[in-house]
Amino acid sequence: AQSVAQPEDQVNVAEGNPLTVKCTYSVSGNPYLFWYVQYPNRGLQFLLKYITGDNLVKGSYGFEAEFNKSQTSFHLKKPSALVSDSALYFCAVRDQTGANNLFFGTGTRLTVIP
Amino acid sequence: SQTIHQWPATLVQPVGSPLSLECTVEGTSNPNLYWYRQAAGRGLQLLFYSVGIGQISSEVPQNLSASRPQDRQFILSSKKLLLSDSGFYLCAWNGQGGEKLFFGSGTQLSVL
């Protein structure tokens, strides 16, 4: 069965510094991987996805993620953090057995300190 | 353009009372529809998904049920709520073969 793991519940970073939110995956076959962001009391918003091709995927709001097959990782990154980036971030993997379900990680709360 | 509506935004219900949460999608036809739950401090758990009218798949055994009476309507129900049903419920959809999920704004359910 496919799954993703987010090892950090909380990440704190100073404004202007680079940020990384970690995600590792477990799938049989080629993974379809996603990052979503959730602001307080809101639904999730799509940030970016990896299906195939270039290992560095660029997404919304200046975020990018690097797919690393040997390390089975898909870490989310941004060169310079903004206070407005503070939110809950979810990594997800697509169900390969049937309907287009996504299985989400437990989430990482990012706090950008002014 | 496509939009997803989910209501109510917040709900406080006593233990043992019934539940009905509704989700509708506009601007698309034959979407896949999903109900997720986000418990406090935890990730998202897929509860139900539907690929068509009357077709419901359940991911986890629970006190809840789902129905899809119309193509773009997805309802989450319970006959008797439990304390453990408290959480943030999210409806989502994607197109057939679509990879990206679009989420509603969520319902915060508190069972007291």
Side-chain angles (χ1 to χ4, degrees):
Chain A
Q2 57 276 333
S3 65
V4 290
Q6 294 180 244
E8 302 160 315
D9 290 338
Q10 174 81 42
V11 170
N12 297 326
V13 64
E15 185 177 22
N17 283 3
L19 69 87
T20 298
V21 183
K22 296 179 180 177
C23 173
T24 58
Y25 66 89
S26 174
V27 299
S28 55
N30 295 322
Y32 287 15
L33 297 162
F34 302 79
W35 276 101
Y36 282 78
V37 60
Q38 185 182 29
Y39 296 101
N41 300 315
R42 302 279 300 276
L44 277 69
Q45 298 176 34
F46 171 82
L47 275 180
L48 51 82
K49 65 180 179 183
Y50 171 83
I51 304 299
T52 186
D54 195 349
N55 289 343
L56 186 63
V57 179
K58 293 188 183 298
S60 307
Y61 312 122
F63 284 93
E64 57 189 26
E66 185 171 9
F67 173 70
N68 187 316
K69 189 172 183 178
S70 62
Q71 297 184 7
T72 62
S73 67
F74 189 56
H75 300 333
L76 181 70
K77 299 181 180 183
K78 188 173 181 180
S80 178
L82 301 173
V83 173
S84 57
D85 293 329
S86 298
L88 190 57
Y89 290 82
F90 290 95
C91 183
V93 62
R94 178 176 158 184
D95 184 2
Q96 298 171 310
T97 61
N100 297 327
N101 310 324
L102 290 183
F103 293 102
F104 288 84
T106 51
T108 298
R109 184 163 300 282
L110 172 69
T111 300
V112 180
I113 303 165
Chain B
S1 63
Q2 303 93 346
T3 55
I4 179 169
H5 302 282
Q6 189 180 341
W7 67 92
T10 59
L11 189 61
V12 179
Q13 291 285 97
V15 169
S17 63
L19 173 73
S20 180
L21 301 181
E22 188 162 344
C23 172
T24 60
V25 180
E26 296 178 357
T28 186
S29 59
N30 199 26
N32 294 326
L33 295 170
Y34 307 83
W35 279 111
Y36 283 87
R37 176 171 59 200
Q38 184 178 20
R42 298 182 61 183
L44 288 166
Q45 181 183 36
L46 178 63
L47 301 176
F48 301 96
Y49 69 89
S50 171
V51 298
I53 296 174
Q55 300 180 59
I56 308 295
S57 297
S58 174
E59 286 295 308
V60 293
Q62 57 204 309
N63 184 43
L64 303 168
S65 62
S67 61
R68 186 169 176 175
Q70 301 180 43
D71 181 45
R72 289 170 285 180
Q73 184 184 31
F74 204 25
I75 298 172
L76 184 69
S77 304
S78 174
K79 293 182 179 178
K80 288 186 178 182
L81 283 168
L82 305 172
L83 287 174
S84 57
D85 292 324
S86 295
F88 191 53
Y89 289 83
L90 289 161
C91 181
W93 75 275
N94 62 6
Q96 299 296 334
E99 295 141 352
K100 189 164 67 175
L101 279 180
F102 297 92
F103 285 83
S105 53
T107 296
Q108 183 64 53
L109 172 65
S110 299
V111 182
L112 305 177

